[in-house]
């Protein structure tokens, strides 16, 4: 009896040791983020980023009725760091106008990413106003940490996305503390307006993520999937879809559900139609998960 208990104890200790060793190895193999300064001469800002970002732009109307939005973006695993900026026709005339611009930009971002406001504060940056806010966790338990800066007539949207409890690993505080920007002079204002007009011609419609509820509300044609005749399977299949700015499904991918039902679900999802979505006055593409039930 004693030998059996001893053997069991040894086995348990061996399992615990193996699990601990695996955890240690996983930590050892995870690479730390390599932070370095990123400088945008066109954007007149610098910031620390843990890698080389991509850059692009969104058309006039995506964030501003008068200017193209320029975006610097970096995604690693489930973390993301983004600096986007656009120019106003003129700098806000007073404090009330500045707060109104903050409110409009904040509400626009919340709608764009289908997230809800958690808390916000008014800060200052080199004596200039800043709006800081965080969102409630999304479906992936991630939070947007955001600051909106008004520097002259330029609006900067600086945000970091990280899972709850992972903010330190994502370097959220150091990221915001490293942000530096300078106001445009008269010559740069004129050059920025010309660049915005030229880039507007080549800008692609923006793609935003929406909830399943929003997708269903926007649908103008819903196609019920049909269970193949030789199957008795039933249940839910989730299809990740992208909808064009005209309301057509342009890509579909089954991400969960019975394997034998996925082909039929994809065939049905591709036939759905949607009302075109707009942000401001600009049509945008939608990306979301469409749940299809086989009864």
């Amino acid at each position: 009896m004693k030998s059996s208990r001893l053997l069991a104890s040894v086995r348990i200790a061996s399992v615990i040791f193996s699990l601990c060793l695996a955890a240690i190895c996983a930590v050892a193999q995870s690479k730390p983020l390599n932070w370095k300064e990123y400088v945008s001469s066109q954007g007149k800002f610098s910031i620390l980023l843990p890698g080389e970002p991509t850059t692009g732009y969104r058309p006039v109307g995506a964030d501003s009725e008068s200017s193209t939005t320029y975006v610097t973006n970096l995604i690693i695993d489930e973390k993301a760091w983004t600096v986007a900026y656009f120019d106003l026709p003129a700098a806000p005339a007073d404090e009330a106008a500045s707060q109104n611009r903050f409110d409009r930009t904040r509400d626009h971002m919340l709608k764009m990413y289908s997230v809800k406001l958690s808390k916000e504060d008014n800060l200052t940056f080199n004596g200039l106003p800043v709006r800081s806010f965080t969102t409630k966790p999304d479906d992936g338990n991630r939070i947007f940490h955001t600051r909106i800066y008004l520097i002259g007539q330029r609006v900067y949207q600086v945000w970091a996305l990280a899972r709850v409890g992972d903010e330190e690993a994502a370097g959220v505080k150091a990221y915001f503390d490293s942000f530096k920007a300078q106001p445009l002079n008269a010559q740069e204002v004129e050059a920025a307006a010309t660049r915005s007009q030229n880039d507007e011609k080549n800008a692609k419609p923006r793609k935003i993520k929406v909830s399943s509820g929003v997708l269903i509300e926007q649908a103008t044609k819903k196609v019920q999937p049909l269970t193949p005749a030789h199957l008795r399977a039933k249940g839910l299949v989730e299809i990740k879809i992208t909808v064009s700015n005209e309301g057509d499904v342009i890509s579909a991918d089954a991400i969960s559900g019975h394997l034998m039902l996925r082909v039929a679900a994809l065939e049905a999802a591709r036939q759905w139609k949607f009302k075109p979505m707009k942000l401001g006055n600009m049509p945008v593409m939608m990306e979301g998960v469409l749940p299809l039930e086989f009864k």
Side-chain angles (χ1 to χ4, degrees):
M1 180 67 70
K2 290 183 179 179
S3 61
S4 297
R5 289 178 180 175
L6 179 60
L7 181 60
S9 299
V10 170
R11 287 175 177 172
I12 293 172
S14 177
V15 171
I16 294 174
F17 176 78
S18 298
L19 291 174
C20 291
L21 182 60
I24 293 170
C25 290
V27 172
Q29 291 175 358
S30 61
K31 296 180 180 179
L33 297 175
N34 182 25
W35 292 86
K36 60 181 180 180
E37 186 178 40
Y38 173 82
V39 179
S40 170
S41 56
Q42 176 179 307
K44 296 205 72 175
F45 73 88
S46 65
I47 195 166
L48 288 178
L49 287 171
E52 192 64 30
T54 59
T55 59
Y57 54 89
R58 302 191 286 261
V60 173
D63 297 277
S64 166
E65 297 78 12
S66 57
S67 174
T68 298
T69 300
Y70 295 90
V71 183
T72 298
N73 188 48
L74 176 62
I75 300 174
I76 300 177
D77 299 326
E78 293 188 349
K79 298 181 282 291
W81 303 264
T82 295
V83 180
Y85 66 89
F86 60 87
D87 296 317
L88 304 172
D94 52 31
E95 177 65 18
S98 296
Q99 294 304 320
N100 180 263
R101 169 50 62 180
F102 282 138
D103 290 343
R104 292 174 60 187
T105 304
R106 174 206 61 206
D107 292 345
H108 185 85
M109 294 180 68
L110 293 174
K111 182 178 181 181
M112 177 172 27
Y113 296 107
S114 298
V115 290
K116 295 182 179 180
L117 181 67
S118 175
K119 62 179 181 179
E120 64 180 337
D121 296 291
N122 286 317
L123 309 174
T124 58
F125 171 81
N126 293 337
L128 299 172
V130 177
R131 177 71 62 85
S132 171
F133 70 87
T134 56
T135 64
K136 295 180 180 179
D138 65 8
D139 294 340
N141 202 31
R142 298 171 300 177
I143 289 178
F144 282 87
H145 302 264
T146 307
R147 290 186 185 179
I148 306 170
Y149 299 80
L150 266 175
I151 302 178
Q153 62 193 81
R154 178 159 287 179
V155 180
Y156 291 94
Q157 306 166 25
V158 183
W159 56 261
L161 176 65
R163 291 177 63 87
V164 175
D166 201 26
E167 293 85 356
E168 184 176 351
V172 172
K173 184 179 185 303
Y175 172 69
F176 285 125
D177 288 347
S178 71
F179 179 74
K180 301 181 181 68
Q182 297 293 327
L184 279 64
N185 59 39
Q187 184 177 2
E188 290 168 333
V189 167
E190 184 177 349
T194 301
R195 185 185 305 113
S196 174
Q197 294 172 2
N198 292 335
D199 289 338
E200 180 186 5
K201 302 173 185 177
N202 300 316
K204 297 179 180 179
R206 161 156 217 184
K207 181 167 65 177
I208 63 171
K209 291 186 177 181
V210 299
S211 66
S212 298
V214 170
L215 275 179
I216 293 172
E217 288 175 2
Q218 291 289 113
T220 58
K221 178 184 177 182
K222 302 177 182 179
V223 178
Q224 175 66 29
L226 299 176
T227 304
H230 62 286
L231 292 178
R232 293 184 178 180
K234 61 181 180 179
L236 185 71
V237 177
E238 291 186 316
I239 307 295
K240 182 178 180 180
I241 63 172
T242 300
V243 181
S244 73
N245 58 318
E246 296 178 343
D248 299 317
V249 176
I250 56 176
S251 73
D253 183 35
I255 59 174
S256 73
H258 197 295
L259 293 177
M260 300 300 289
L261 297 175
R262 294 190 179 192
V263 172
L266 285 168
E267 183 178 346
R270 293 187 179 108
Q271 298 178 63
W272 281 52
K273 300 288 184 182
F274 300 85
K275 291 184 291 186
M277 172 74 82
K278 287 188 175 183
L279 281 179
N281 295 319
M282 284 299 300
V284 294
M285 296 190 294
M286 294 185 291
E287 181 181 86
V289 176
L290 186 65
L292 296 177
E293 184 79 26
F294 287 81
K295 301 179 181 180

